[in-house]
Amino acid sequence: MGAIRFALFRLLAAIPTLLLVIAIAFLMVHAAPGGPFDEERRLPLEIEANIAAAYHLDESLPEQFWRYLSGLAEGDLGPSYRYREYRVAELIGAAIPVSLALGAIAMLLALLVGVGGGIAAALAHGSRRDRIISALAMSGISLPVFVIAPALVLLFAVYLGVLPASWSGADGGVSRYVLPVFALALPQVAYITRLTRASMIEVMNSDFIRTARAQGLRTASVVRHHALKPAMLPLLSYMGPAIAGILTGSVVVEQIFGIPGLGQLFVRAALNRDYTLVLGSVIFYATLVILLNLLVDMLYGFLDPRIRQR
């Protein structure tokens, strides 16, 4: 029951945050120059007025915002201004599976490689292996996604020719996931490696680890049964920002590789001043980050008994 109350409290506390995000996004998209129905060839004033009235764009901003919140309370994200035969929920629903698949695979890869690399570096603290892993991790932190992605395309698609350079250029198999996933995962691998290394070094120097070693346990057994769980607590706290980084990074990666995901949909909506589609994308991203942070907090409580007792 305690966990349920905690989850409900956090969800209720997240509602004001989500409303603030929606309000800021609403004001920003309406403050941008141009409009969703601006064309190179200007329409007659009568037609513009009819279109604005049909989409309630002739109302004041407070009236539009209240109308949008009223529809949102009923689960309606509204119609798309650019793709007029579709609702926003339909467009986002079609793009979500691709983006979530990329993000999930990239996060899993980052965890496997980052945790493994961090443990390997910590157990060889001060050695050549530790210095090499730390140098590689620092290099990964220094390189942003918009540099890593073109470099991967240049190496593996242009020079070596072993992987497709774009999503549409693949044969529909797993090969089209490889470069985007690596572009998303590599920066997070670097952060997770350094965080795991620092946490593992601290835990391995703790008194309870010295006691376990004094009992004659092997290093592998000490790490697996005693050190790994407390060493993962700082990493678990980082998972919320890490997932947010994967999500925001997917906007750049999907543009570079031409992936029909939510990131590319968001960029096109912003360029087209498709107000409702931009707002729907922002709401999805914000809700996902809030829910994932809630999940991280709950997992933290399971791993740390002190949190459960509180």
Side-chain angles (χ1 to χ4, degrees):
M1 292 297 295
I4 296 176
R5 285 198 302 269
F6 172 75
L8 290 175
F9 175 77
R10 289 300 302 270
L11 285 175
L12 292 175
I15 293 177
T17 302
L18 188 59
L19 288 174
L20 181 61
V21 170
I22 295 172
I24 293 174
F26 185 88
L27 291 175
M28 289 182 65
V29 296
H30 282 81
F37 303 109
D38 290 350
E39 304 287 347
E40 293 182 4
R41 184 177 179 181
R42 191 169 181 83
L43 296 173
L45 294 179
E46 296 81 3
I47 296 179
E48 286 188 355
N50 290 335
I51 293 176
Y55 288 95
H56 306 286
L57 296 176
D58 56 342
E59 299 176 353
S60 64
L61 279 182
E63 289 175 328
Q64 292 184 52
F65 185 62
W66 178 252
R67 184 181 296 276
Y68 184 77
L69 288 181
S70 300
L72 196 61
E74 299 175 358
D76 184 15
L77 294 174
S80 170
Y81 293 162
R82 187 70 175 183
Y83 308 98
R84 298 172 192 176
E85 65 274 16
Y86 294 101
R87 307 291 291 181
V88 170
E90 294 175 316
L91 294 171
I92 292 179
I96 282 174
V98 177
S99 295
L100 289 186
L102 285 176
I105 297 172
M107 196 73 249
L108 180 60
L109 178 63
L111 284 173
L112 291 176
V113 178
V115 171
I119 293 175
L123 295 180
H125 181 46
S127 67
R128 178 181 297 180
R129 181 175 68 186
D130 181 25
R131 290 193 293 271
I132 292 174
I133 293 176
S134 298
L136 291 174
M138 183 58 67
S139 300
I141 293 174
S142 304
L143 294 174
V145 174
F146 60 82
V147 172
I148 294 175
L152 291 175
V153 172
L154 191 63
L155 176 61
F156 292 101
V158 178
Y159 289 158
L160 299 180
V162 293
L163 291 170
S166 66
W167 187 270
S168 59
D171 57 1
V174 296
S175 62
R176 62 183 180 180
Y177 283 90
V178 176
L179 291 184
V181 165
F182 270 87
L184 283 173
L186 285 178
Q188 297 304 327
V189 167
Y191 282 107
I192 292 173
T193 298
R194 286 182 60 83
L195 186 60
T196 303
R197 174 187 176 276
S199 180
M200 183 63 71
I201 289 175
E202 181 180 357
V203 171
M204 292 299 288
N205 290 325
S206 301
D207 292 336
F208 71 93
I209 296 297
R210 295 191 187 97
T211 302
R213 283 178 165 174
Q215 294 175 350
L217 297 177
R218 294 180 299 175
T219 300
S221 180
V222 169
V223 171
R224 184 168 59 252
H225 297 292
H226 299 280
L228 189 59
K229 187 176 179 179
M232 291 299 102
L233 292 177
L235 177 61
L236 190 59
S237 298
Y238 172 71
M239 288 302 295
I243 294 172
I246 290 273
L247 291 175
T248 54
S250 68
V251 175
V252 178
V253 169
E254 288 179 14
Q255 280 294 108
I256 292 175
F257 292 98
I259 301 172
L262 190 58
Q264 188 180 74
L265 189 68
F266 174 77
V267 172
R268 290 182 177 177
L271 293 176
N272 294 326
R273 305 295 189 270
D274 194 341
Y275 298 155
T276 51
L277 188 52
V278 170
L279 289 171
S281 303
V282 170
I283 290 171
F284 173 78
Y285 279 128
T287 303
L288 186 61
V289 170
I290 289 172
L291 291 177
L292 289 173
N293 277 306
L294 173 62
L295 179 61
V296 167
D297 289 342
M298 296 183 68
L299 289 176
Y300 201 102
F302 283 111
L303 289 177
D304 192 343
R306 295 170 297 180
I307 302 297
R308 292 201 300 269
Q309 290 172 2
R310 293 175 189 173

